[in-house]
Amino acid sequence: MFARRIVVIGTGYVGLTTGACLASLGHRVVCSDVNAEKVAELSRGEVRIHEPGLAELVREGIAAGRLEFVVGSAGAVADAEVVFLCVPTPMGSGGAADLAVVESVAGEVRDVLPTRCVVVTKSTVPVGTSKRLAEHLDREDVAVVSNPEFLREGSAVHDFLNPDRIVVGSDTQDAAERVAALYARLGAPTVLTDAASAEMVKYAANCFLATKLSYVNAIAELCEQLGADITDVTEGMGYDRRIGQSFLQPGPGWGGSCLPKDTAALLQVAEAVDFEFPLLQATISSNAHQRQRMVGKVREACGGSLAGERIGLLGLTFKAGTDDLRDSPALEVARLLADNGAELIAHDPGLRGDEPELPAGLTLVDDPYQAAKGAAALVLLTEWQAFRTLDWTLVAEALTGRIVVDTRNHLDPDVLRRAGLSWRGVGRTPVTALT
């Protein structure tokens, strides 16, 4: 495999992971960003993103001379063979992805891109963006390629270096093959297709996963009505190779930086061509219902009203292993609890306490026992492993109400029962404390 001269524009979650991992594969990578302070930190090997293995890869790349960080994009691309666009595409009006930053960066580099350079969209973008970007660049000697990422927060480095598949799409075959060759050392199945199909793959995959999660949450609610156990049900489902065991865990709803944005964007794309998509609409509606359902469980645990009740919360990030609060279902449940008059005391091992997303009226404390102190109920919202090994006898002593609402089915009900606590899960029979 030939080492390539690569520029990654944007050093956010996707950009930094992409740059560091490509450097680890032997390529020479320059990562550019508009934030001079961030560039200086990264140049020193200081990584603020909470992602296992990423900081180590960054420092290794710098030490090996294969990875560097610069301010600005125009100067960085002067000798690039491949330029990855890893810039924000936030949800805009009506749910459509906002491509303002993508187009702004394209405008900055358009006149300085080398001949035969390939521009790659790594950010999640609507179907048709590659064609639109090619028109915006207006460079017949520069090809545009779609190469969507499939990274999970908390395991992004592992996912990049051990991919299920590499998807590369372009209307220029040679350009697609050049981008695919960047990943040759990984030995992953590669899908070479046209640009529109590659862009569609990302949305189709994420929306399918969202639908799968909404379905499982609905089945969990039905299990509660019928006396079935969702844990046994999903185990029985998961052994079916047509279904698989992933994304079968019920919870307070799906969230994060991808699924809410991508489901809304695909709906908008469908509406733009007058295509009705009731299945996806139901997936989104079901997810909103799930947050309200968790609030109902807490309300029931508190005797029918949350007004004035002190509620302890375990976890606020959208998943364990991250510090990400973007569209976090845990955070949304917390907001709904506050709207119902609850006083909230929360602990999350991934948070510092200065996050602007934290709602007014919520107090973040340093340890889980403080969150339990004086609370009428304790609610687990994020599945941090450390919560499983708490001293539940101490938790029981700290609580005024002896009930734990486990929205992730993360805890062992028998352990809580022996500690004198009642347990309420999702899709499972409640467990009453030993008396």
Side-chain angles (χ1 to χ4, degrees):
M1 183 195 73
F2 294 103
R4 297 297 186 185
R5 298 186 303 276
I6 298 170
V7 172
V8 177
I9 300 178
T11 60
Y13 189 85
V14 172
L16 187 58
T17 302
T18 298
C21 288
L22 286 173
S24 77
L25 295 178
H27 302 294
R28 183 166 71 83
V29 182
V30 176
C31 294
S32 77
D33 201 283
V34 295
N35 187 326
E37 181 181 354
K38 185 178 184 182
V39 167
E41 289 177 350
L42 290 171
S43 297
R44 296 191 297 267
E46 300 171 10
V47 176
R48 293 196 176 192
I49 296 174
H50 187 88
E51 184 61 44
L54 183 55
E56 291 81 0
L57 270 191
V58 168
R59 289 191 284 268
E60 289 170 9
I62 294 171
R66 293 192 300 268
L67 180 64
E68 64 177 301
F69 299 90
V70 300
V71 178
S73 54
V77 304
D79 67 343
E81 296 177 74
V82 182
V83 176
F84 283 87
L85 302 184
C86 300
V87 296
T89 55
M91 190 186 304
S93 60
D98 186 345
L99 298 178
V101 179
V102 173
E103 293 183 346
S104 175
V105 169
E108 292 174 17
V109 302
R110 175 174 49 208
D111 296 332
V112 292
L113 290 169
T115 297
R116 295 197 75 246
C117 178
V118 178
V119 174
V120 182
T121 57
K122 197 70 171 172
S123 307
T124 302
V125 294
V127 179
T129 297
S130 292
K131 181 179 179 180
R132 178 174 168 180
L133 186 58
E135 293 171 350
H136 189 72
L137 289 170
D138 194 24
R139 289 278 303 270
E140 292 185 0
D141 60 332
V142 172
V144 177
V145 171
S146 172
N147 175 218
E149 52 84 14
F150 302 97
L151 307 179
R152 299 168 297 169
E153 291 195 43
S155 59
V157 171
H158 177 272
D159 291 347
F160 191 103
L161 298 176
N162 301 274
D164 295 325
R165 75 291 201 194
I166 303 294
V167 177
V168 182
S170 179
D171 298 331
T172 304
Q173 182 73 13
D174 174 67
E177 291 174 353
R178 288 167 62 192
V179 172
L182 299 177
Y183 303 95
R185 284 183 57 186
L186 300 179
T190 301
V191 178
L192 287 177
T193 183
D194 59 273
S197 297
E199 291 163 345
M200 188 64 178
V201 166
K202 179 61 183 289
Y203 283 110
N206 275 357
C207 291
F208 178 82
L209 295 176
T211 301
K212 191 175 182 181
L213 286 169
S214 285
Y215 176 79
V216 166
N217 282 332
I219 291 294
E221 185 172 2
L222 187 58
C223 283
E224 293 177 13
Q225 300 295 323
L226 299 176
D229 189 310
I230 188 63
T231 302
D232 294 338
V233 171
T234 54
E235 182 182 7
M237 292 170 60
Y239 284 118
D240 188 325
R241 286 172 294 182
R242 297 168 301 173
I243 297 173
Q245 297 183 358
S246 64
F247 283 74
L248 289 181
Q249 294 73 38
W254 42 266
S257 61
C258 292
L259 298 190
K261 180 168 67 76
D262 292 353
T263 50
L266 188 58
L267 264 188
Q268 196 277 338
V269 167
E271 290 171 0
V273 293
D274 295 323
F275 176 76
E276 293 186 6
F277 209 151
L279 177 61
L280 188 55
Q281 290 171 333
T283 292
I284 296 170
S285 297
S286 177
N287 196 51
H289 164 71
Q290 193 67 9
R291 283 97 184 269
Q292 293 284 357
R293 199 168 88 83
M294 297 302 106
V295 173
K297 284 180 173 289
V298 182
R299 184 187 299 111
E300 182 182 356
C302 292
S305 175
L306 290 166
E309 296 284 6
R310 183 184 178 101
I311 305 297
L313 305 179
L314 297 180
L316 292 171
T317 54
F318 96 93
K319 66 182 289 188
T322 81
D323 58 358
D324 198 341
L325 291 169
R326 288 176 292 179
D327 277 300
S328 168
L331 195 61
E332 180 60 22
V333 170
R335 291 194 180 105
L336 292 171
L337 290 169
D339 290 345
N340 278 265
E343 175 193 355
L344 304 178
I345 311 296
H347 170 71
D348 190 300
L351 301 181
R352 301 179 303 274
D354 58 354
E355 289 80 5
E357 299 95 333
L358 296 178
L362 181 146
T363 301
L364 196 68
V365 294
D366 292 335
D367 73 69
Y369 303 102
Q370 285 180 276
K373 188 175 181 179
L378 188 63
V379 185
L380 186 142
L381 291 169
T382 309
E383 70 284 15
W384 289 94
Q385 187 62 29
F387 294 154
R388 288 183 59 87
T389 56
L390 294 178
D391 185 330
W392 287 99
T393 300
L394 286 180
V395 172
E397 292 172 356
L399 289 167
T400 57
R402 294 297 185 93
I403 190 162
V404 175
V405 179
D406 182 359
T407 71
R408 300 278 186 173
N409 291 345
H410 184 58
L411 306 173
D412 186 333
D414 289 334
V415 171
L416 271 65
R417 181 175 61 91
R418 290 193 296 269
L421 292 167
S422 295
W423 177 87
R424 301 289 183 272
V426 177
R428 302 187 68 188
T429 301
V431 173
T432 303
L434 288 174
T435 55

